[in-house]
Amino acid sequence: MCKSIFKLVSINIFFTLFFASVANAQNIKGKVISNGESLSYATVTLVGTSHGVMTDDKGEFIFDQLKEGNYTVKAELVGFKPMTKKVNVKNQQSVQMSFDLQEDATLDEIVISGTLKPVLKSEAVVPVEIYTPAFFEKNPTASLFDAVQMINGVQPQLNCNVCNTGDIHINGMEGPYTMILIDGMPIVSSLSTVYGLFGIPTSLIERVEVVKGPASSLYGTEAMGGIINVITKDPEHAAKLSVDAFSTTWLENNIDLGASYKLGKHVKGLFGGNYFKYGQRKDKNGDGFTDVTLQDRISMFNKFSLKRKEDRVASLALRYVYEDRWGGQTDWKRKEHRGGEEVYAESIFTNRFEAIGMYQLPTTENIYTQFSYIYHKQNSFYGPESYNAKQQVAFAQAYWDKNIGNHSMLLGASFKYTYYDDNTRATGIYDENGLVKNQPQETPIPGIFIQDEWKLSDQHKLLLGYRFDYDQKHKGIHSPRIGYKYTPTANQALRASFGTGFRVVNVFTEDHRALTGAREVVFAEKLDPEKSYNANLNYTIKVPSDFGVFNFDVNGFYTYFTNKIDADTDTDQTKIIYANLDGHAISRGLSLNVDVTFDIPLKLMAGATYMDVFRKEDGEREQIYHSPKWSGNFIASYNFGNGFTADLTSDWKGPMRLPRVENDYRPEYSPWTVIANVQVTKKFNNGIQIYGGVKNLFNTLPKEDTIARWWDPFGEPGNGVAPPAGRNDVIFEPNDYSYTPLQGIRGFLGVRYNIF
């Protein structure tokens, strides 16, 4: 009897609680989309309450167990305009609602590269261009080196047609004037400028910031032409897992992996890996050499972030890169021919380790410390010539970020130590019998810097900067900078800057021509540092219209070199001569960027750059190599809805002067070239994306031989094949005569997957 009563009471209590919960089961359900596409991980909040949720993979959200009443629901996601809606929730009611967010063409992002401190892009005195992973995904590539070709005024340039190494030019200035940073640290040193641009996993990139123009007052004497700062993702906001893999019809295989994780309560980590493999010995142009260098590359990255009181910063990142690459005659075999004179090839083994750290001191003042360490070892053969080098670079700096009234101050000190050793005359004393004494280069450079960003009024800002470095050989190095920003309206800004540049040249680590080919390296005199004066003028304006928003960015640049070290390959076809400039050199030009976001799901971006880059000695004017007068890019993206998007990307270059040898049968200037690519992407609600398309749509290829005397690389009669008619007098030269890739039209197919 008691058991029956207890059972009956239990059932009554259960149903009472059940119906009570149902009676109060008011909820709000909904979905967040944009142009018909679901938006995952958008933030949805009930304004005025502590309630907030994120949308799932399908863009859906729900608020449960709500009380009756009126609510204001807000949906927002970075890159889109937020939207709010009001809703009334009644007893036992489930309210359905949806948000269709529009992309924000006026998004004001945070940048750090211009002044070494976070600032809104619109407020920055120094113009900074921002490129997100979504931008680079419009034309998938296996390396950052290839990806930046879509940026107007930035030109990845191949410096060797055999080993396919290269550097990045900004506004016509060669690679050594471009400083590559990772998270604001000068991580790509001179030796690895050639190789370090390959192997940065795109899955780790939060954004890429580009500053065109001098930045020596903050980043040291090498940043004469500009900087490219690769900002990696914060482990706290990165995807739990990300995969991006693609292959081409040439069987170029690339895979990027990323994963975020936790180590206890206070440490979060981000792992990234990249593997690239290309092993096809293709010779489409029939010169007996590989058209594209064979590569086997692996890169691993790990970043740790420590959660501290008052959100103080503490992070450590580690990166390792290994690469095995070779290019040359297609019948080359590593074990038999590496370093020999029977079959020509260039073979490079690279091992590289990097460490990057940042720590904010636990003080009431904002004091930050940063450090980086680079170890780079390279074992190379360029035909029979060996080049074995090791470089270590240690860098540390501390700076104080302080606001005093209308002044935003930055005061800091840095120390850079470089150790470099190789098997060339750069670090050794030789006589007729060979090496007499090995003398590795050890270069300590201490420095101090100060910067004041002075807000004169809401419309006027002034930036004053100065840096002093001390080099043992060249003594004091002064790098002042001044910048000015005028904002007449909220939609337009005028920026002007002036600064100086100073750079110590290391030929063997910066100029590939000093290592390869058949020329003798000659130093006509002791090389002095390069010095320059730089000026930039930038104007931006946003023009809203009835059908979209237009953004215009006009930039004028001027650099005057009082000394510049260039390789002279014209005086003697058997030599490459280095000497100080007896005159002056100038890099000047004008660029225009236009992007349009229409009310319909169409985006257009276009850019054009005119530049004149030359040197003048003894009254004679000479155009600098690989500096086209005209260049530009074009990007069009359309969203068809239902997860389908299409992208057309292209970059074009006008004629540019190319290095040649005596009696060269090849033209001195290249023709106009256009590289166009098309891609279609399908996004699914489960986080999977499938993309594919065609690269080099117009099958643009060099019209001439890219390697001079390819039929006889060792210059010995009977060692090669019979020379073509009229080409017998030139010497073998595998470098520099490059203006467009040797890869023609090809297809690609890939997949991306993200789990948050």
Side-chain angles (χ1 to χ4, degrees):
M1 180 71 177
C2 291
K3 289 183 178 180
S4 299
I5 294 174
F6 178 78
K7 187 175 182 180
L8 181 61
V9 171
S10 299
I11 293 173
N12 286 332
I13 292 174
F14 172 79
F15 279 104
T16 299
L17 293 174
F18 174 79
F19 285 113
S21 64
V22 171
N24 293 286
Q26 294 86 219
N27 59 54
I28 299 175
K29 297 180 179 179
K31 190 171 185 178
V32 181
I33 63 174
S34 178
N35 295 320
E37 183 178 339
S38 300
L39 293 182
S40 305
Y41 313 107
T43 302
V44 185
T45 57
L46 300 182
V47 179
T49 74
S50 60
H51 295 290
V53 296
M54 296 185 71
T55 58
D56 59 18
D57 291 339
K58 298 180 181 180
E60 297 176 350
F61 66 90
I62 183 171
F63 290 100
D64 264 330
Q65 302 297 321
L66 296 177
K67 296 180 180 180
E68 294 185 55
N70 296 317
Y71 293 92
T72 300
V73 187
K74 183 178 182 180
E76 54 189 336
L77 181 64
V78 174
F80 297 85
K81 295 179 180 179
M83 178 180 290
T84 58
K85 289 185 177 182
K86 292 183 178 181
V87 64
N88 179 260
V89 177
K90 298 180 180 179
N91 186 32
Q92 301 184 37
Q93 184 182 33
S94 179
V95 180
Q96 297 283 340
M97 62 191 316
S98 64
F99 294 88
D100 190 353
L101 303 187
Q102 300 298 314
E103 293 193 51
D104 189 356
T106 62
L107 182 66
D108 201 4
E109 300 180 72
I110 297 290
V111 296
I112 64 171
S113 300
T115 57
L116 203 63
K117 60 195 317 185
V119 62
L120 288 174
K121 181 181 177 182
S122 63
E123 295 294 325
V125 177
V126 178
V128 181
E129 298 178 14
I130 301 175
Y131 299 94
T132 64
F135 175 83
F136 296 116
E137 287 175 359
K138 298 178 185 298
N139 179 33
T141 61
S143 70
L144 180 62
F145 177 86
D146 297 316
V148 297
Q149 68 181 349
M150 294 195 301
I151 302 176
N152 183 30
V154 178
Q155 176 184 331
Q157 177 61 48
L158 289 178
N159 296 329
C160 178
N161 291 308
V162 177
C163 62
N164 286 173
T165 55
D167 54 24
I168 293 181
H169 297 201
I170 295 181
N171 289 339
M173 297 178 65
E174 297 94 322
Y177 304 109
T178 300
M179 177 171 278
I180 309 295
L181 310 171
I182 295 182
D183 289 335
M185 299 298 290
I187 207 67
V188 177
S189 55
S190 55
L191 178 60
S192 63
T193 299
V194 179
Y195 308 104
L197 299 174
F198 301 88
I200 300 177
T202 55
S203 61
L204 303 179
I205 298 175
E206 177 72 26
R207 65 186 185 275
V208 174
E209 299 181 0
V210 179
V211 178
K212 299 173 182 176
S216 296
S217 65
L218 279 184
Y219 295 101
T221 58
E222 295 177 355
M224 295 175 67
I227 61 175
I228 297 177
N229 191 2
V230 182
I231 310 295
T232 59
K233 293 179 179 178
D234 185 340
E236 187 172 355
H237 301 111
K240 292 181 180 178
L241 176 67
S242 63
V243 181
D244 189 347
F246 72 85
S247 182
T248 71
T249 52
W250 276 48
L251 295 183
E252 301 161 289
N253 301 308
N254 184 79
I255 181 170
D256 278 347
L257 296 174
S260 61
Y261 57 91
K262 293 183 179 180
L263 294 175
K265 295 182 179 180
H266 302 291
V267 179
K268 295 184 178 180
L270 174 64
F271 170 81
N274 168 261
Y275 179 69
F276 177 75
K277 174 72 173 180
Y278 175 70
Q280 306 301 306
R281 303 189 182 205
K282 290 185 179 291
D283 180 23
K284 296 288 187 179
N285 64 348
D287 62 1
F289 281 75
T290 53
D291 294 338
V292 178
T293 301
L294 281 69
Q295 300 176 52
D296 196 349
R297 180 178 67 241
I298 185 170
S299 173
M300 293 182 291
F301 179 96
N302 207 100
K303 183 176 182 179
F304 301 98
S305 178
L306 177 64
K307 187 175 182 180
R308 302 172 60 203
K309 294 181 180 179
E310 300 180 5
D311 292 327
R312 291 192 179 99
V313 178
S315 65
L316 174 66
L318 306 173
R319 178 173 175 250
Y320 172 75
V321 179
Y322 169 80
E323 186 179 63
D324 171 9
R325 66 161 59 205
W326 76 266
Q329 292 179 288
T330 55
D331 57 344
W332 184 83
K333 297 178 181 179
R334 178 178 296 160
K335 292 183 179 180
E336 299 177 24
H337 300 136
R338 191 172 195 260
E341 297 188 12
E342 296 179 11
V343 182
Y344 187 90
E346 297 179 0
S347 172
I348 304 168
F349 294 100
T350 301
N351 278 280
R352 179 174 175 80
F353 171 77
E354 304 165 355
I356 312 167
M358 185 171 186
Y359 182 79
Q360 183 180 358
L361 298 184
T363 61
T364 55
E365 297 291 337
N366 291 324
I367 301 177
Y368 299 86
T369 61
Q370 294 177 298
F371 74 88
S372 66
Y373 170 76
I374 308 164
Y375 175 86
H376 188 102
K377 188 175 183 180
Q378 185 174 314
N379 179 287
S380 312
F381 271 96
Y382 302 94
E385 301 296 328
S386 69
Y387 174 67
N388 297 314
K390 180 172 69 175
Q391 185 177 51
Q392 298 181 74
V393 182
F395 178 83
Q397 74 176 9
Y399 61 91
W400 177 34
D401 183 357
K402 180 68 173 179
N403 292 323
I404 305 175
N406 292 332
H407 297 266
S408 179
M409 306 288 295
L410 204 66
L411 178 64
S414 67
F415 181 80
K416 182 179 181 180
Y417 172 81
T418 303
Y419 172 92
Y420 174 74
D421 190 18
D422 67 15
N423 62 334
T424 72
R425 287 178 297 147
T427 60
I429 300 175
Y430 290 78
D431 63 12
E432 63 275 5
N433 297 318
L435 179 66
V436 175
K437 183 180 180 181
N438 188 48
Q439 292 183 320
Q441 295 178 356
E442 298 184 65
T443 310
I445 301 181
I448 57 174
F449 58 91
I450 186 171
Q451 177 180 273
D452 178 18
E453 187 174 317
W454 184 6
K455 187 176 181 180
L456 303 173
S457 67
D458 291 339
Q459 293 181 318
H460 301 273
K461 278 188 177 181
L462 185 66
L463 179 69
L464 302 172
Y466 172 77
R467 183 183 183 96
F468 176 80
D469 293 306
Y470 184 81
D471 181 85
Q472 289 179 338
K473 294 182 179 179
H474 306 289
K475 308 307 177 183
I477 304 170
H478 305 272
S479 303
R481 175 170 71 162
I482 183 172
Y484 170 72
K485 175 176 176 284
Y486 172 56
T487 312
T489 67
N491 288 336
Q492 56 182 324
L494 178 67
R495 296 175 173 90
S497 63
F498 175 80
T500 64
F502 185 103
R503 195 177 73 88
V504 179
V505 176
N506 189 328
V507 167
F508 287 95
T509 64
E510 296 166 0
D511 193 343
H512 197 76
R513 288 168 292 187
L515 304 173
T516 63
R519 296 174 183 266
E520 176 189 357
V521 178
V522 175
F523 294 94
E525 57 187 325
K526 181 181 179 181
L527 300 183
D528 295 328
E530 294 184 320
K531 297 181 180 180
S532 70
Y533 298 93
N534 313 272
N536 283 71
L537 186 64
N538 176 263
Y539 176 70
T540 59
I541 183 171
K542 298 177 182 178
V543 183
S545 70
D546 294 336
F547 52 86
V549 178
F550 290 77
N551 291 278
F552 297 90
D553 187 319
V554 185
N555 189 68
F557 54 91
Y558 185 91
T559 300
Y560 183 94
F561 286 89
T562 57
N563 187 41
K564 190 174 188 294
I565 310 299
D566 289 316
D568 178 6
T569 58
D570 298 327
T571 301
D572 189 329
Q573 70 163 349
T574 66
K575 298 178 180 179
I576 178 169
I577 304 172
Y578 294 93
N580 297 308
L581 178 64
D582 185 16
H584 66 270
I586 291 177
S587 171
R588 60 189 179 188
L590 185 70
S591 67
L592 170 65
N593 287 316
V594 182
D595 66 82
V596 189
T597 301
F598 295 94
D599 292 337
I600 60 175
L602 173 66
K603 287 184 178 181
L604 298 178
M605 296 179 64
T609 297
Y610 170 81
M611 57 189 179
D612 187 19
V613 186
F614 64 92
R615 58 186 290 161
K616 195 170 184 179
E617 290 185 288
D618 300 325
E620 294 189 10
R621 189 180 192 274
E622 185 179 70
Q623 204 73 17
I624 299 296
Y625 297 134
H626 299 125
S627 300
K629 291 274 189 179
W630 290 96
S631 63
N633 67 333
F634 177 79
I635 301 172
S637 300
Y638 190 84
N639 190 329
F640 293 94
N642 295 322
F644 282 98
T645 58
D647 300 291
L648 172 66
T649 60
S650 68
D651 67 283
W652 51 272
K653 291 190 289 286
M656 56 184 175
R657 184 169 178 252
L658 300 171
R660 300 192 306 160
V661 295
E662 189 175 338
N663 300 319
D664 207 320
Y665 52 88
R666 301 169 299 180
E668 184 178 5
Y669 283 84
S670 65
W672 286 82
T673 58
V674 177
I675 301 291
N677 318 284
V678 64
Q679 174 185 249
V680 176
T681 304
K682 167 62 178 176
K683 297 180 180 180
F684 299 90
N685 290 332
N686 58 4
I688 293 178
Q689 299 181 29
I690 296 177
Y691 59 90
V694 178
K695 289 181 177 291
N696 200 352
L697 192 62
F698 303 133
N699 199 36
T700 302
L701 290 167
K703 296 182 179 180
E704 298 80 22
D705 294 339
T706 57
I707 300 174
R709 201 181 179 88
W710 50 263
W711 56 89
D712 188 8
F714 297 104
E716 298 178 6
N719 217 27
V721 300
R727 302 183 183 181
N728 194 40
D729 293 336
V730 297
I731 65 168
F732 174 66
E733 178 59 86
N735 299 320
D736 284 341
Y737 198 90
S738 176
Y739 58 87
T740 193
L742 281 171
Q743 287 178 288
I745 186 171
R746 61 199 186 280
F748 66 95
L749 182 66
V751 61
R752 298 187 187 97
Y753 182 57
N754 294 285
I755 300 176
F756 288 86

